[in-house]
Amino acid sequence: LMPGTVEQILVQPADPVERGQTVIIMESMKMELSVAAHRDGVVKQIPVQRGDQVDRGMRLLELEAPSEATGSD
């Protein structure tokens, strides 16, 4: 992932996501880049906000397994 600016965040904490689903749209060098979920899961945390400058290696989204997210039986 190239350094850039977070333009849109398409998910919220507790949202289920599927591998390959676009979760964040970034702008880098006047190009729009889609960031996809790397696995199925539930959004646990989003440590970036719209307008944030991000660099290579930064964590943009934290996922947990669906069973971890339910929290109760």
Side-chain angles (χ1 to χ4, degrees):
L1 185 66
M2 298 187 325
T5 303
V6 176
E7 292 294 320
Q8 295 180 48
I9 299 173
L10 305 175
V11 294
Q12 297 179 347
D15 284 355
V17 297
E18 295 180 358
R19 182 178 188 209
Q21 177 181 338
T22 300
V23 292
I24 294 176
I25 304 290
M26 292 185 49
E27 186 271 317
S28 180
M29 299 175 59
K30 300 190 183 198
M31 294 186 309
E32 191 173 272
L33 305 171
S34 297
V35 178
H38 65 284
R39 64 177 174 92
D40 293 350
V42 176
V43 178
K44 181 176 182 180
Q45 182 179 10
I46 306 168
V48 296
Q49 297 179 16
R50 186 171 185 219
D52 282 358
Q53 295 287 324
V54 296
D55 207 350
R56 185 178 307 242
M58 287 182 67
R59 180 172 290 185
L60 305 179
L61 186 75
E62 187 175 338
L63 296 177
E64 59 189 354
S67 61
E68 295 173 6
T70 58
S72 62
D73 314 275

